[in-house]
Amino acid sequence: MSHKIHRVAVIGAGPAGVATAKYGLLAEQLFQTIDVFEQRASTGGVWNYASHAPTHELSVPQVNPHQPLEEPKWTDFSGGRQHPNAIFVTPMYDRLESNIPNHLMRHTDDPTLEEQPLFASHQSVLQYLNRYAEEVRHLIRFHTQVYDIRREENDGQDRWLVFTKDLINNKASERYYDAVAIASGHHYVPILPDISGIRLWNKAYPNLISHSKYYRTPDMFKNKKVVVVGNSASGLDIATQIGLVSKHPVLNSKRSSVPGSGRIDTWKKEMPEIVEFLPPSHARQAIRFADGQVVSDVEAIVFCTGYYYSFPFLSSLEPPLVVTGERVENTYEHLFWTPHPSLAFVGLPYKIIPFRTCEGQAAVIARIWSGRLALPSESKMKTWEGTRIASRGAGKKFHELGNLEDFRYHNEMVEWALQAPPKDIDRVPPKWSKRDEWVRNNIPAIKRAFADKGEGRYRIRSEEELDFEYPLGVNT
């Protein structure tokens, strides 16, 4: 960096924000001010469960990433609290369990998540994250929403003016920082594609189309003909849950297949993508699939189609950070904003093991901003982005790190952080091992075997208990 950084703001106190503050900035012991802004009343971010998820807020279709800041829902006074809690809707649903084994998912310096079943409940993960955040709670300003961030120059140096609002008393404030880390997640603006006829269909049959962000329980789908769109981890899990109570089979519409166990589920039927919502004059509540099949009397459709990248509080920046919403523009290593790298992003990639990935990113950010490491020239950073676009495209694949790419990325972050001159106390996460890679490759089968144990799964703590043994003679 071309100037000294003393004051740092972190936006968000979820897993990415806490890792940034704790594993990176605080551990570096060189920053005078670290302020973490969190709009909720607690840490945990996306792992906070909101029982009330108003589906009427969903636009059908939803194809615009440029949405205003989310307004909080308020709990009433209870439990001895002096003020109500600000609630923000997350994709957490009643029966969600992690899709990552605990020993891979946990933070490297806190193994206590491994005391839970191999795939922990969302309640257990939230409790774990809240405990992990205790060390940095004094840095967090809760119930504080960041509504704008503007870049200014002072004697040729970047300064970031951060505008915040206290959601309890509605008081606005502004503060200057030398650097800002964005760790606010990307599960805010749902993607709901503009399929032919969907607007008229939704108007004729209101409230039948929803998104996984608002899914909470399968009970409302009991004995209904249901279509679930998408084959992400959440899409497959939601389809499974709904399929146990809906009319059989639940129709799982997807563009491509994912590796499975080879077992045929009689309650589910795989379908190609939906290409048309047919008008009422054609058939009642009917949709057409890519293979020409028409299905009528559909009583519910749940889109599990992901989210746009959206940062409404950064909309004043030029060049714009978000254009299509499929990626963040002008980033280097999914981490630094190339035009002004005193702005960084933690947790942008997806299809990752998030906690460990954020630790590696945080270690690099702290060393760059403290001056212990240097960034390449702006032209070299732009070359990285161009190379990434050439290989993965400029759309949603840009930030995707599937097929063990997230492991390679994390290990590169660790190697980068270790290039800094050593200190007496240095915090760098370990690299992923060959055994970790083996587990990662087998997660779908391990999760299926775990689920097949029914209530007995709550006693399972390791892959070995499910007869998954790491091959002898293979380096770890």
Side-chain angles (χ1 to χ4, degrees):
M1 303 295 294
S2 61
H3 65 283
K4 291 289 186 180
I5 289 177
H6 302 290
R7 295 173 52 81
V8 181
V10 179
I11 314 304
V18 168
T20 302
K22 180 177 180 177
Y23 214 91
L25 302 172
L26 194 63
E28 195 70 3
Q29 298 180 331
L30 288 172
F31 301 104
Q32 295 174 1
T33 300
I34 304 169
D35 289 334
V36 183
F37 296 103
E38 172 54 54
Q39 60 187 0
R40 294 181 174 86
S42 62
T43 58
V46 72
W47 289 91
N48 281 279
Y49 173 78
S51 58
H52 179 58
T55 56
H56 67 269
E57 296 181 351
L58 179 66
S59 297
V60 180
Q62 171 58 272
V63 294
N64 180 13
H66 305 288
Q67 300 296 318
L69 285 168
E70 187 175 0
E71 293 291 330
K73 315 296 182 293
W74 293 95
T75 61
D76 54 11
F77 295 88
S78 61
R81 293 194 304 270
Q82 295 180 343
H83 53 71
N85 275 341
I87 304 298
F88 293 85
V89 176
T90 72
M92 286 298 115
Y93 46 90
D94 284 9
R95 303 176 193 176
L96 184 142
E97 295 173 347
S98 167
N99 62 345
I100 303 171
N102 292 337
H103 60 91
L104 295 187
M105 184 178 188
R106 71 174 179 86
H107 284 289
T108 55
D109 55 346
D110 186 355
T112 57
L113 189 61
E114 294 185 45
E115 298 169 4
Q116 300 299 320
L118 184 60
F119 295 92
S121 68
H122 68 85
Q123 296 94 334
S124 296
V125 175
L126 180 61
Q127 291 171 4
Y128 171 80
L129 292 172
N130 286 336
R131 289 194 304 269
Y132 187 75
E134 281 302 314
E135 186 180 331
V136 294
R137 276 190 75 88
H138 65 288
L139 304 175
I140 305 173
R141 300 171 186 261
F142 292 106
H143 273 142
T144 303
Q145 188 175 61
V146 174
Y147 65 88
D148 194 14
I149 298 177
R150 300 176 190 172
R151 189 189 69 83
E152 299 181 355
E153 283 193 13
N154 182 32
D155 295 329
Q157 296 184 357
D158 286 343
R159 288 204 309 176
W160 298 93
L161 185 55
V162 177
F163 295 83
T164 63
K165 181 173 68 173
D166 185 316
L167 294 176
I168 299 299
N169 59 30
N170 213 33
K171 181 181 178 181
S173 302
E174 56 188 71
R175 299 174 180 84
Y176 280 105
Y177 294 91
D178 303 310
V180 178
I182 307 299
S184 53
H186 42 87
H187 294 87
Y188 164 50
V189 180
I191 298 173
L192 209 160
D194 189 4
I195 301 170
S196 176
I198 193 171
R199 287 179 170 84
L200 178 61
W201 203 92
N202 183 63
K203 186 176 181 179
Y205 312 116
N207 302 319
L208 298 192
I209 295 175
S210 63
H211 189 276
S212 57
K213 179 178 179 177
Y214 303 100
Y215 171 80
R216 291 296 175 266
T217 171
D219 297 345
M220 64 180 294
F221 302 98
K222 189 173 182 179
N223 297 324
K224 291 182 178 179
K225 182 185 284 189
V226 182
V227 178
V228 177
V229 181
N231 63 351
S232 63
S234 62
L236 296 175
D237 190 37
I238 289 171
T240 299
Q241 292 189 12
I242 292 175
L244 297 178
V245 300
S246 66
K247 287 181 182 177
H248 289 181
V250 62
L251 304 181
N252 190 193
S253 168
K254 45 194 178 182
R255 290 181 177 178
S256 59
S257 298
V258 295
S261 65
R263 188 172 72 185
I264 297 175
D265 294 311
T266 57
W267 50 265
K268 181 177 71 172
K269 182 179 180 182
E270 293 191 2
M271 303 290 289
E273 63 182 305
I274 301 171
V275 295
E276 185 180 6
F277 284 78
L278 298 173
S281 59
H282 185 283
R284 184 176 181 272
Q285 295 168 220
I287 55 178
R288 188 191 310 276
F289 293 91
D291 61 358
Q293 289 188 71
V294 173
V295 175
S296 59
D297 297 316
V298 174
E299 296 172 279
I301 302 176
V302 183
F303 280 85
C304 305
T305 40
Y307 300 82
Y308 289 112
Y309 291 95
S310 181
F311 305 98
F313 49 85
L314 292 170
S315 59
S316 67
L317 297 186
E318 291 291 339
L321 285 165
V322 174
V323 178
T324 66
E326 293 185 317
R327 72 179 182 100
V328 179
E329 310 282 327
N330 298 296
T331 59
Y332 174 63
E333 290 285 357
H334 312 284
L335 194 55
F336 293 99
W337 192 43
T338 301
H340 299 279
S342 53
L343 177 66
F345 296 84
V346 185
L348 281 186
Y350 66 101
K351 291 191 177 180
I352 63 173
I353 307 292
F355 300 175
R356 182 87 68 94
T357 300
C358 291
E359 289 175 358
Q361 291 181 320
V364 168
I365 289 172
R367 285 158 176 77
I368 295 290
W369 286 352
S370 69
R372 287 207 291 150
L373 284 175
L375 284 166
S377 66
E378 183 174 352
S379 64
K380 288 184 177 179
M381 290 192 286
K382 288 181 177 178
T383 297
W384 177 89
E385 183 182 33
T387 301
R388 182 76 180 174
I389 290 172
S391 63
R392 304 302 298 272
K396 64 181 182 180
K397 293 285 187 180
F398 184 90
H399 293 303
E400 180 185 308
L401 299 182
N403 298 318
L404 290 180
E405 189 181 359
D406 67 320
F407 274 35
R408 293 188 290 272
Y409 175 80
H410 171 76
N411 289 348
E412 289 169 1
M413 291 292 109
V414 172
E415 290 173 0
W416 191 3
L418 290 173
Q419 293 174 16
K423 297 186 344 180
D424 291 338
I425 300 176
D426 240 352
R427 211 168 194 174
V428 182
K431 292 183 179 180
W432 293 113
S433 68
K434 292 296 183 182
R435 187 188 188 283
D436 294 332
E437 290 185 8
W438 175 82
V439 174
R440 180 82 157 100
N441 277 328
N442 285 282
I443 284 178
I446 295 170
K447 182 65 186 285
R448 188 64 178 261
F450 178 82
D452 286 346
K453 291 293 183 180
E455 294 297 311
R457 70 187 186 279
Y458 301 122
R459 297 188 294 273
I460 303 296
R461 296 293 186 274
S462 69
E463 297 88 16
E464 288 77 10
E465 295 174 66
L466 297 170
D467 297 325
F468 286 86
E469 298 281 348
Y470 183 64
L472 295 175
V474 178
N475 293 332
T476 59

